[in-house]
Amino acid sequence: MRTLTKLAGFAVGLTAVFGATYGIGRIVDPTPVAESRHEAAATPPADERGGTADQLPGGLLVSERGYTLEPVDAPAGEFAFRIAGPDGRPVTRYEVAHDKQMHLIVARRDLSGFRHVHPELAPDGTWRVDTPLTGPGQWRVFADFTPTGGEPLTLGVDVTVPGELTERPLPAPATSTTVDGYTVTLTGAPQPGRTSSLTLTISRDGQPVTDLEPYLGAYGHLVALRRGDLAYLHVHPDGTPDDGRTRPGPAVTFLAEVPSPGSYRLYLDFLHGGRVHTAEFTVVAGAAPTGDVPSPSGPAPTGGADHGTPGHGHN
Ligand SMILES: [Cu+2]
């Protein structure tokens, strides 16, 4: 029953969001999203503002421009999937983007459990990876890739891992967090519909970290997921390790544009000491800067606030 209720709430939230979405896709990769035709464009209600599904954020569709994300059966401990191409057959040729042919990002619907992993491609077009679905729950799985000869795509699919689910409230907005002994602070706040600079500064034991290691062609990798529908915003740093001006910490700056007001969860992957660390933040777009948010904007700790509740607004 609870699941059904949640799904219904999610569908309503998604409908509301489609109408308000615009102008994403120009984050750093100048992906010519506007030129693509999304076959699912007819599914959501027409956008009264005259926009089209071409301007949707990534990750909301399981099938787009003829490419479909298809999980396949896998042994325990493994996650496997294929990308079916316009001809219906598994795609076997991909471009390298950010050092990899395939970026697989997962998070639970409550925005917990984020993982970013890189599966291996078998000759038959099956991608396999040690499962990043680390426990029970309803997961959103994003495949971020560029088929050879095509344009970059992020497809998303829901995968349920059975078991007892403990839904976690979204942490309140904060400008500082710790992970693996590192302290990461966030300055800047996303503003709906315009490009905002977000700077993440990394320190350890009170000392700035100035020897970040390149990871996926950058000193940091930032993913933003929108609360309510998990729209996927792939944000990249303002600068690369070999451009002669970008320093390996302690600050990594990103240019981000979020499509709508509301809460987002940011996930910063950075490589230091030979390990990838992930720092997470909740931010509220369209509100005061995160340091000045007058009251916690996450769900009440008592729970019961379903994802996608349309009335949960932050202006
Ligand atoms: Cu990746």
Side-chain angles (χ1 to χ4, degrees), residues 27-41:
I27 288 180
V28 159
D29 280 345
T31 306
V33 173
E35 291 172 15
S36 63
R37 306 311 312 179
H38 293 222
E39 65 177 18

Side-chain angles (χ1 to χ4, degrees), residues 6 10 31 39 43 60 104 113 182 195:
K6 275 185 61 174
F10 167 66
T31 306
E39 65 177 18
T43 305
L60 294 175
L104 190 75
Y182 297 86
T195 301

Side-chain angles (χ1 to χ4, degrees), residues 25-159:
R26 54 177 299 257
I27 288 180
V28 159
D29 280 345
T31 306
V33 173
E35 291 172 15
S36 63
R37 306 311 312 179
H38 293 222
E39 65 177 18
T43 305
D47 185 334
E48 296 88 338
R49 300 186 189 189
T52 70
D54 289 351
Q55 295 159 320
L56 284 178
L60 294 175
L61 304 177
V62 70
S63 184
E64 189 173 357
R65 275 181 263 152
Y67 294 90
T68 303
L69 171 55
E70 298 179 341
V72 299
D73 287 340
E78 186 179 289
F79 183 76
F81 63 100
R82 290 188 293 249
I83 305 296
D87 60 2
R89 294 197 296 239
V91 176
T92 57
R93 295 172 62 234
Y94 295 83
E95 303 289 347
V96 171
H98 312 294
D99 283 357
K100 300 288 179 181
Q101 290 185 314
M102 177 65 68
H103 303 266
L104 190 75
I105 284 89
V106 305
R108 286 192 188 86
R109 279 279 175 196
D110 64 6
L111 296 171
S112 69
F114 176 90
R115 292 283 308 281
H116 175 173
V117 297
H118 301 107
E120 300 227 339
L121 178 61
D124 70 352
T126 302
W127 291 95
R128 299 179 187 282
V129 67
D130 289 345
T131 186
L133 308 179
T134 50
Q138 194 177 17
W139 293 82
R140 190 69 175 169
V141 174
F142 302 97
D144 181 337
F145 63 95
T146 304
T148 294
E151 293 169 359
L153 266 177
T154 303
L155 302 178
V157 69
D158 278 353
V159 175

Side-chain angles (χ1 to χ4, degrees), residues 179-182 204 268-279:
V179 58
D180 305 333
Y182 297 86
R204 190 182 197 185
L268 172 72
D269 286 333
F270 62 95
L271 179 61
H272 190 251
R275 278 192 56 208
V276 176
H277 313 278
T278 304

Side-chain angles (χ1 to χ4, degrees), residues 257-301:
E257 181 176 330
V258 298
S260 63
S263 296
Y264 294 77
R265 189 75 166 157
L266 306 181
Y267 307 88
L268 172 72
D269 286 333
F270 62 95
L271 179 61
H272 190 251
R275 278 192 56 208
V276 176
H277 313 278
T278 304
E280 303 187 15
F281 295 86
T282 298
V283 297
V284 179
T290 48
D292 300 327
V293 172
S295 62
S297 297

